Amino acid sequence: MAKMKAIDAAVLVLEKEGVTVTFGVPGAAINPLYAAMKNHGGIGHILARHVEGASHMAEGYTRAVAGNIGVCIGTSGPAGTDMITGLYSASADSIPILCITGQAPRSRLHKEDFQAVDIASIAKPVTKWATTVLEPAQVPRAFQQAFHLMRSGRPGPVLIDLPIDVQLAEIEFDIDTYEPLAAYKPAASRKQAEKAIEMLNESERPLLVSGGGVINADASDLMVELAEILNVPVIPTLMGWGTIPDDHPLMVGMCGLQTSHRYGNANMLASDFVFGIGNRWANRHTGSVEVYTKGRKFIHVDIEPTQIGRVFAPDYGIVSDAKAALEQFVAVAKEWKAAGKLKCRKAWVAECQGRKNSVEYLRKTNFDNVPMKPQRVYQCMNRTLDRDTTYVSTIGLSQIAGAQFLHVYKPRNWINCGQAGPLGWTTPAALGVRVADPQRKIVALSGDYDFQFMIEELAVGAQFKLPYVHVLVNNSYLGLIRQAQRAFSIDYCVQLAFDNINMDEGDATRGYGVDHVKVVEGLGCKAIRVHRAEDFAPAMQQAEAWMAEHKTPVVIECILERVTNISMGAEIDNVVEFEDLATEKADAPSALALLD
C-alpha cells in the first residue's frame, strides 16, 4: 500500500484501464486532475474549445475503434451541464464515454457556492451511472466501477463528479495489484440458437436486420458469415451500416423513413420474417409498428433485457451480446447446412437483388444544375473517394441524403450520432476519430447549420495537427426543418441567408451569408469552395495535398441550390420521392455501379 492523493490514484486507475488520451477544458475545480496527469505523464490531453465539443470528441474516439473508451474532462458547474448533450448522445447510441467533472468542496455543496451544481442528479437520466464521490478512499473504486459498468451489458456513459477537497485528500492505495473488473455480458444459449434458426428456416422470405449492437460487439464478420451460411439477405440499420459491405450480394438496402433506400424498403415489405440482432426497432427505421410488422414474424436479439418488447412484442426474444449470439447462430447454422436442413433461398435472394439493381428503385444523382443539387455532390463523393473512407455525420438533410446515396463497406466507417442527433456534433466527433486512428481516411459531412454550431473546434484540429476532410454542403437553410414546415405551409425562421457586406459584389455566394472559407482560415485550417461538380475531384486532391503539408483539417464547401427536397415519408410504404428516378445505370448502387 502507498499513501497518495485520491486524484493520483484515479489517474493510475485510468492508466490501468487503458486510457491514453483525454479531451477537455481545465478549470479551477478540476486542476488537481490535470496536475496528476501531467505529473504521471502517461495520459495525453486534447484541449477543446467548448466542453460539449470535448464530450463529442470522446464519442468519436470511442466509436472509431473497438475497445476504445473516450474520456472527457471539465470543471464544476457549466462544464458538466455543457457535457450533458454528449452524455445523452452516447447513452442513446449505447456508446461508453467517461465524463469527469470537478466540484466545489463538500462543505460548500449545500450553500449555493460558485459553480456548484448537483451535476450527478442532472446527468442520471442520460448515463448508466452518475455519482458525486464524497469519500476520498472511494475514488479509485468509483473509477473501477465506472469502467466495469461501461463495458457490461448495454454499453453507455458514466459521469464521476469529484469535489476538489476529495481530489486532494490523501488515501492508501495499492495500484500494483489493481485489476479491471471483468465485464458482464449475457450470452445466448445453444437451445435459444437452435430455436431461432428453426424459426427462420420455417419462413419463406426471411431478412436479417443488423443493428449497431453488432458493431459495438465487434461482430460484423460473424454477421456476414451467418448471412452467407443461411443465404439470407441483410438489411442494416443506420447504426449498423457497414456490418456488411454495400456491394455484398446479400446487402439489400437500408429500411426506414429517411435514411433508407427505395429497394431496402421494398425488400422489407416483401419479407415474411425478420431476424433483428443488436437493433432497437427505432421509429425512423420502422415507421409505424402496424405497417412494419404486418404479415411478418420477428426475432429480436438484444443485450439489454428491457429492450425486448419495448417497441413491439417479437415472436421470440433473446437477451444476449450480439457477438455471443452470433457465435451460437453460426455454429447451429453450419450444422444445419452440413445436414442439408437449410431451405434454398436462391429465388428470394435474386428477388431482393433484382430490386437493388433495378432503375425502378433508384434515385437520380446525375444533375448538372449550378448551383449544384445535393444528390450530385454525393455522386461526386462516391466517384472520388475509395472504399476505405470513414464518414462522420450527425443530422439534417445532409446526413439523410448521405445515407441514401453514399456507400459504406466496413464497420465503423459510418460514424453517426443516430438517436440524439445534436447539431454541431460532426466536427468534434471527427477530431475524436482522428485521435483514435491517425491513419484512416476521414471525411466528415455537414450542412451549413451543423457546421456553424461548433465551428470553433476546427482550431483544435489546427493546434493538435488532426487533419481530415470536411465536406460542407451549403444551401444557407435549415433544410430538414424547412422541409418539415411544408406540412404547415410555412417557411419560417429557417433561412440562414443574408447579404454579406464583406464579400465582393460579384461573388455568387455573397447572398448565402457566412463566409465559411474566411472563418475556417481564421481558425488555422484550409478551405476550398466548389460551385460545379467537375471541380469536386480536384478539390479533394488539393485537400489531400494540404493535409499532407499542413496537418490541419480542410473544408470543401459545396454551394447548393437553396431548396431541394430529399426523399422521406411517414411510413416505409409511403416515402415521397421528390426527384425523377435514375435514368442512368451509372447511378445504380449495384455491384457494377459501386465501382464507378
Side-chain angles (χ1 to χ4, degrees), residues 316-337:
Y316 186 52
I318 300 174
V319 178
S320 178
D321 168 70
K323 186 172 187 177
L326 282 163
E327 287 171 344
Q328 290 280 14
F329 298 149
V330 165
V332 173
K334 282 181 177 178
E335 293 177 12
W336 280 48
K337 184 175 182 178

Side-chain angles (χ1 to χ4, degrees), residues 182-223:
Y184 163 71
K185 294 183 179 179
S189 69
R190 170 75 184 201
K191 284 186 177 181
Q192 289 173 324
E194 289 173 346
K195 181 175 177 65
I197 297 300
E198 180 181 10
M199 289 177 66
L200 180 143
N201 202 47
E202 291 171 351
S203 67
E204 299 298 325
R205 300 178 303 282
L207 291 172
L208 295 170
V209 168
S210 180
V214 175
I215 291 178
N216 284 348
D218 202 25
S220 297
D221 289 346
L222 285 168
M223 184 57 138

Side-chain angles (χ1 to χ4, degrees), residues 209-259:
V209 168
S210 180
V214 175
I215 291 178
N216 284 348
D218 202 25
S220 297
D221 289 346
L222 285 168
M223 184 57 138
V224 174
E225 185 179 4
L226 178 65
E228 291 175 344
I229 295 168
L230 297 171
N231 198 28
V232 168
V234 179
I235 284 184
T237 67
L238 182 66
M239 299 307 294
W241 198 13
T243 50
I244 184 169
D246 268 11
D247 57 355
H248 193 289
L250 291 175
M251 196 290 196
V252 296
M254 286 193 289
C255 174
L257 307 181
Q258 296 177 335
T259 54

Side-chain angles (χ1 to χ4, degrees), residues 256-274:
L257 307 181
Q258 296 177 335
T259 54
S260 61
H261 304 110
R262 299 192 76 196
Y263 50 90
N265 283 348
N267 286 329
M268 174 60 72
L269 291 166
S271 70
D272 68 352
F273 188 90
V274 178

Side-chain angles (χ1 to χ4, degrees), residues 15 92 99 112 123 126 155 159 199 236 277 339 427 429 483 490 521 545 590:
E15 291 177 346
C99 172
E112 297 188 2
V126 290
L159 178 139
M199 289 177 66
I277 302 175
T427 298
Q483 187 167 330
I490 61 172
E521 290 176 345
S590 63

Side-chain angles (χ1 to χ4, degrees), residues 59-65 215 241-242 381 385-393 406-416 425-426 429-446 467-471 540 544 547:
E59 282 188 81
Y61 181 84
T62 296
R63 294 173 192 249
V65 177
I215 291 178
W241 198 13
M381 293 173 72
L385 301 169
D386 60 38
R387 62 189 298 117
D388 292 325
T389 302
T390 294
Y391 295 102
V392 183
S393 191
L406 293 176
H407 304 305
V408 177
Y409 301 95
K410 297 178 180 179
R412 301 183 190 275
N413 274 19
W414 173 257
I415 294 179
N416 183 86
W425 187 90
T426 308
L431 294 169
V433 174
R434 171 55 74 221
V435 173
D437 188 342
Q439 302 303 320
R440 77 167 70 181
K441 186 170 188 175
I442 300 169
V443 175
L445 172 62
S446 287
Y468 74 95
V469 175
H470 204 129
V471 175
M540 186 62 69
E544 290 174 351
M547 287 193 297

Side-chain angles (χ1 to χ4, degrees), residues 373-538:
K373 282 185 174 287
Q375 293 92 333
R376 186 63 187 273
V377 175
Y378 300 105
Q379 183 194 78
C380 292
M381 293 173 72
N382 283 332
R383 293 179 176 181
T384 305
L385 301 169
D386 60 38
R387 62 189 298 117
D388 292 325
T389 302
T390 294
Y391 295 102
V392 183
S393 191
T394 180
I395 192 63
L397 288 187
S398 54
Q399 175 249 14
I400 292 168
Q404 292 181 8
F405 295 109
L406 293 176
H407 304 305
V408 177
Y409 301 95
K410 297 178 180 179
R412 301 183 190 275
N413 274 19
W414 173 257
I415 294 179
N416 183 86
C417 176
Q419 185 182 346
L423 287 166
W425 187 90
T426 308
T427 298
L431 294 169
V433 174
R434 171 55 74 221
V435 173
D437 188 342
Q439 302 303 320
R440 77 167 70 181
K441 186 170 188 175
I442 300 169
V443 175
L445 172 62
S446 287
D448 42 304
Y449 208 43
D450 171 49
F451 187 70
Q452 290 174 21
F453 251 59
M454 302 202 77
I455 195 170
E456 71 276 5
E457 300 301 340
L458 284 173
V460 177
Q463 179 180 357
F464 291 91
K465 304 298 183 186
L466 303 173
Y468 74 95
V469 175
H470 204 129
V471 175
L472 164 60
V473 287
N474 181 9
N475 64 353
S476 198
Y477 245 114
L478 277 68
L480 178 58
I481 308 307
R482 176 207 54 76
Q483 187 167 330
Q485 285 187 351
R486 294 170 70 252
F488 302 92
S489 300
I490 61 172
D491 183 331
Y492 184 63
C493 290
V494 290
Q495 298 190 28
L496 299 174
F498 60 90
D499 185 38
N500 190 329
I501 60 173
N502 295 305
M503 300 178 75
D504 293 338
E505 288 283 355
D507 193 319
T509 56
R510 173 172 168 144
Y512 276 63
V514 174
D515 188 340
H516 294 112
V517 171
K518 287 183 178 177
V519 176
V520 169
E521 290 176 345
L523 290 166
C525 302
K526 302 292 280 186
I528 312 169
R529 184 171 288 138
V530 171
H531 293 274
R532 293 173 175 79
E534 57 266 28
D535 296 330
F536 185 86

